[in-house]
Amino acid sequence: MSQGPILELRGINKSFGPVQVLHDVAFSVYPGEVTALVGDNGAGKSTLVKCIGGIHPIDSGEYLFEGERVHVSGPRDAAVLGVEIVYQDLALCDNLDIVQNMFLGRERKSGLVLDEDTMEEMAAKTLAGLSVRTVKSLRQHVSSLSGGQRQTVAIAKAVLWNSKVVILDEPTAALGVAQTAQVLELVRRLADRGLAVVLISHNMNDVFAVSDRIAALYLGRMAAEVKTSEVTHAQIVELITSGRSGELGLKNGNGAAS
Amino acid sequence: MTTETLPKQENAESALGGHVKGYFERVRGGELGALPAVFGLVILCVVFSVLRPAFLSAVNFANLFTQGAAVAVIAMGLIFVLLLGEIDLSAGFASGVCAAVLAVLLTLQGWPWYLAVLAAMVTGAIIGLVLGSLVAKLGIPSFVVTLAAFLAFQGVVLLLVKDGTNISIRDETILAIANKNVPPAAGWAALIVGVAVYAAIQFVQARRRVARGLVATPVAVIAARVVTLAVVAGVAVYVLNLERSRNAALVSLKGVPIVVPLIVILLIVWTFVLRRTAYGRHIYAVGGNAEAARRAGINVDRIRISAFVICSFMASLGGIIAASRANSVDPNTGGSNVLLFAVGAAVIGGTSLFGGKGRALDALLGGAVVAVIENGMGLMGYSAGVKFVVTGLVLLLAAGVDALSRKRAASTGRR
Ligand SMILES: Nc1ncnc2c1ncn2[C@@H]1O[C@H](COP(=O)(O)OP(=O)(O)OP(=O)(O)O)[C@@H](O)[C@H]1O
Ligand SMILES: [Mg+2]
């Protein structure tokens, strides 16, 4: 358990024009663990994740991966490190099929030509590995899939690569009970495989069911990073809504970082 | 609905049934593909040949190809831009500029044909580079950039051909493109080789997929495709190989026009690029969801710029073909209806104006429809005015079908 974080952010600031969305945020992610990232709507969770994924450049702060300072300036940099993100707004191309989406930007080629067969096999294997059984054909357009199926494709896309960190931005928000359970089970399995998993969710039951750690963002500030076993539902809810809970959280309820 | 993800090997019959069923499901879901164009083409051909038997003559058949060639080539380039959901309104006059460059260098400067052609093609590529950069880097809507270019290029053509005069083309090689024919035997040979290679590729691919346990196109479907290709291309080659000269003893006129194999090569190249390379895949991705493409690490700006380069480059080829066919370049080369016909060809062929959907073949299918309308109505003695109105209506119809099929796709959850 004394393993250090695989991904660590320190003092991250991020503004969109005049609006500062992230203030001096610190965030650590550990291999083999599920870290839940919680916070109210607009707290900055998705923004933080997009900074990690290289979608938004950070204004200032340190980005450490496996203890080394790295510079992530685009999605490819993140992918090279082994950081994969399933975005809240999924980011799939409706006009492409499942296999094409899963390999988008990282197509398998033999020479100049796309190696469709290998890609299809790998996609099938990955989906089977996630025990996905609801997709009729791997060659159907993503536009014809249900919300849950799209989510599964997006997750499969993230785990297809030998990724080390998988970040899921509200993967269960649009899912029914059964599919939610499946995704959570999947999240747990990924962590048990040794991956570092970050799960963003508004559902406290889900968070407590699968996470090892919880990080709570409050108005763009990291209110607390705690072990799940050491806190209660109520404490987390308090952290989310007011940024503090007893000894935990931001010292000054409304702002300045602790 | 719940079936295995890992597709099992089904027996041939049910695989065929599934394939056919899948096709009809897609059509009902709004993915009409080539259907409207093929349907329209058949109807138009029947109507015109009933009303004007001359429509079916070998001479006229050959005319259709040389008439439609420039527009089809420009349309093929436009498809790249349309796939991104952008538009290039300047493609017509870009072809005019390139044709004018060709004519000036060839006739006035006395350059050899290959250097003049190269210069025209480079001109096209540079035009595309500038347009694409303005769209991708500065973020000016392509509609505005290319509308400005449309006007500017019109001026450039005027300047190059010195106000209203025209420059005639005398170079044998350039003239041959649209005016000379492939020897009949060579036409047959190319046809046979082409069909054989197509069949071989399809069968080998299917066998490889079966060997790996993947769902493959059923043999019956492949056979149907091969037979269709062989029949359609075979009839075309046969008719084009008939004697077209009114006085065969004096001068024989038969064979496939040289421009046809040129277009077929372009079709094969761009189909390969779009369907079999990562670059082509990325074009579809950017057209379907640019943000998703960006997050997948695709350099969206570079894709945008390259699409405009391809479009203007193809316009330069269209310009060369037009110059060859007209034996000259004048201020109207690439002007008037050329751009609209090209956009019309692409859309009629099944390329979506909303981006993300289209094939290189669409340019030929739609180009054929446009050429048949133009040619057939000309034979019926309608004026240019009527032809414009009808072509405009057909374009509107095609765009309407595009929009409706998109709506239908949305309502059946395919988008
Ligand atoms: N591209 C952007 N430009 C300007 N402001 C933005 C941008 N993206 C996010 N914001 C702002 O940043 C703040 C944080 O947004 P973010 O999407 O990170 O919240 P979130 O915690 O993911 O919320 P939710 O739970 O609703 O998904 C919001 O106030 C939002 O308006
Ligand atoms: Mg969010």
Side-chain angles (χ1 to χ4, degrees), chain A residues 76 95 114 116 120 132 143, chain B residues 5 209 276 281 356 413-414:
Chain A
R76 275 196 200 272
N95 60 333
L114 292 172
E116 298 283 357
E120 194 169 326
V132 177
S143 55
Chain B
T5 311
R209 286 180 65 83
R276 297 268 171 255
R281 181 70 36 88
R414 280 180 175 270

Side-chain angles (χ1 to χ4, degrees), chain A residues 50 55 75-76 87 89 91-93 95 100 104-105 107 113-114 116-118 120-121 124 132-133 143-144, chain B residues 2-6 208-209 212 214 276-278 281-282 284-285 288-289 292 294-297 356 413-415:
Chain A
K50 284 178 184 169
I55 299 294
R76 275 196 200 272
Y87 293 98
D89 47 351
L92 298 173
C93 290
N95 60 333
Q100 292 170 341
L104 190 60
E107 291 82 2
V113 188
L114 292 172
E116 298 283 357
D117 299 351
T118 304
E120 194 169 326
E121 272 178 3
V132 177
R133 306 206 173 281
S143 55
S144 66
Chain B
T2 311
T3 39
E4 291 284 343
T5 311
L6 280 171
R208 216 175 40 212
R209 286 180 65 83
R212 297 177 79 156
L214 299 168
R276 297 268 171 255
T277 68
R281 181 70 36 88
H282 295 171
Y284 284 101
N289 185 343
R294 193 168 80 87
R295 289 186 195 167
R414 280 180 175 270
R415 187 165 283 273

Side-chain angles (χ1 to χ4, degrees), chain A residues 63-123:
Chain A
Y63 190 133
L64 293 102
F65 193 81
E66 292 177 334
E68 307 268 325
R69 258 195 93 152
V70 291
H71 188 71
V72 175
S73 60
R76 275 196 200 272
D77 294 346
V80 167
L81 290 176
V83 178
E84 291 291 330
I85 301 179
V86 178
Y87 293 98
Q88 191 167 9
D89 47 351
L90 289 189
L92 298 173
C93 290
D94 278 344
N95 60 333
L96 299 183
D97 67 32
I98 295 175
V99 182
Q100 292 170 341
N101 264 292
M102 285 176 67
F103 282 85
L104 190 60
R106 290 178 278 193
E107 291 82 2
R108 278 294 165 106
K109 285 176 276 192
S110 57
L112 196 65
V113 188
L114 292 172
D115 188 352
E116 298 283 357
D117 299 351
T118 304
M119 290 196 276
E120 194 169 326
E121 272 178 3
M122 288 174 67

Side-chain angles (χ1 to χ4, degrees), chain A residues 12-229:
Chain A
I12 300 289
N13 287 295
K14 174 69 195 170
S15 304
F16 292 109
V19 190
Q20 186 163 3
V21 176
L22 298 178
H23 303 259
D24 198 27
V25 169
F27 184 48
S28 302
V29 180
Y30 297 81
E33 296 191 2
V34 177
T35 306
L37 181 59
V38 298
D40 241 336
N41 292 121
K45 304 182 297 294
S46 296
T47 306
L48 180 61
V49 162
K50 284 178 184 169
C51 288
I52 295 175
I55 299 294
H56 295 323
I58 51 177
D59 298 341
S60 63
E62 285 182 58
Y63 190 133
L64 293 102
F65 193 81
E66 292 177 334
E68 307 268 325
R69 258 195 93 152
V70 291
H71 188 71
V72 175
S73 60
R76 275 196 200 272
D77 294 346
V80 167
L81 290 176
V83 178
E84 291 291 330
I85 301 179
V86 178
Y87 293 98
Q88 191 167 9
D89 47 351
L90 289 189
L92 298 173
C93 290
D94 278 344
N95 60 333
L96 299 183
D97 67 32
I98 295 175
V99 182
Q100 292 170 341
N101 264 292
M102 285 176 67
F103 282 85
L104 190 60
R106 290 178 278 193
E107 291 82 2
R108 278 294 165 106
K109 285 176 276 192
S110 57
L112 196 65
V113 188
L114 292 172
D115 188 352
E116 298 283 357
D117 299 351
T118 304
M119 290 196 276
E120 194 169 326
E121 272 178 3
M122 288 174 67
K125 216 176 283 169
T126 307
L127 282 167
L130 303 180
S131 354
V132 177
R133 306 206 173 281
T134 60
V135 186
K136 237 195 296 177
S137 154
L138 288 175
R139 287 298 176 186
Q140 74 191 112
H141 281 190
V142 163
S143 55
S144 66
L145 298 180
S146 75
Q149 289 173 326
R150 292 167 64 92
Q151 190 63 253
T152 324
V153 170
I155 295 176
K157 179 181 177 179
V159 301
L160 178 62
W161 312 96
N162 285 320
S163 30
K164 296 175 181 162
V165 179
V166 173
I167 304 177
L168 305 147
D169 195 351
E170 302 197 23
T172 57
L175 301 189
V177 180
Q179 292 222 346
T180 297
Q182 252 183 33
V183 168
L184 291 180
E185 197 185 306
L186 176 61
V187 163
R188 194 61 250 174
R189 229 178 309 144
L190 292 179
D192 294 343
R193 265 201 237 164
L195 274 72
V197 183
V198 176
L199 174 73
I200 298 181
S201 177
H202 287 289
N203 186 322
M204 284 310 120
N205 292 327
D206 295 355
V207 166
F208 276 87
V210 293
S211 72
D212 301 293
R213 289 168 191 272
I214 300 176
L217 268 180
Y218 176 72
L219 296 178
R221 293 187 165 80
M222 189 55 77
E225 292 186 81
V226 294
K227 288 238 167 86
T228 307
S229 53

Side-chain angles (χ1 to χ4, degrees), chain B residues 20-250:
Chain B
V20 173
K21 201 169 128 241
Y23 177 75
F24 281 114
E25 256 171 27
R26 281 202 301 280
V27 169
R28 236 176 317 165
E31 286 178 45
L32 298 175
L35 270 188
V38 171
F39 199 62
L41 200 56
V42 169
I43 288 184
L44 284 169
C45 287
V46 169
V47 168
F48 284 132
S49 38
V50 168
L51 294 178
R52 282 288 177 279
F55 178 80
L56 277 183
S57 69
V59 180
N60 195 52
F61 192 65
N63 262 349
L64 270 176
F65 283 88
T66 49
Q67 263 175 359
V71 162
V73 168
I74 296 172
M76 214 183 279
L78 257 175
I79 282 171
F80 282 76
V81 169
L82 294 176
L83 275 175
L84 300 184
E86 309 276 357
I87 184 86
D88 183 357
L89 298 174
S90 70
F93 274 116
S95 80
V97 169
C98 297
V101 166
L102 176 86
V104 167
L105 295 178
L106 212 54
T107 308
L108 304 185
Q109 308 288 334
W111 285 30
W113 69 268
Y114 45 91
L115 284 183
V117 164
L118 189 68
M121 296 196 307
V122 169
T123 306
I126 291 173
I127 288 173
L129 194 64
V130 173
L131 296 178
S133 303
L134 287 172
V135 172
K137 295 291 181 194
L138 284 190
I140 313 175
S142 58
F143 173 76
V144 178
V145 171
T146 59
L147 191 60
F150 169 84
L151 199 63
F153 292 164
Q154 194 167 1
V156 172
V157 179
L158 266 177
L159 294 175
L160 282 172
V161 300
K162 303 275 187 310
D163 305 294
T165 54
N166 73 355
I167 307 176
S168 55
I169 305 265
R170 293 188 211 95
D171 184 273
E172 287 298 323
T173 315
I174 300 298
L175 288 179
I177 296 173
N179 299 303
K180 288 277 189 304
N181 306 302
V182 176
W188 283 120
L191 171 78
I192 291 166
V193 172
V195 172
V197 168
Y198 176 76
I201 290 175
Q202 295 264 314
F203 277 113
V204 167
Q205 252 172 16
R207 289 219 9 213
R208 216 175 40 212
R209 286 180 65 83
V210 170
R212 297 177 79 156
L214 299 168
V215 177
T217 315
V219 175
V221 173
I222 296 179
R225 284 182 192 156
V226 171
V227 169
T228 309
L229 175 71
V231 168
V232 171
V235 167
V237 170
Y238 171 76
V239 175
L240 290 171
N241 276 348
L242 294 174
E243 183 58 61
R244 305 199 279 278
S245 173
R246 256 179 256 161
N247 197 340
L250 224 64

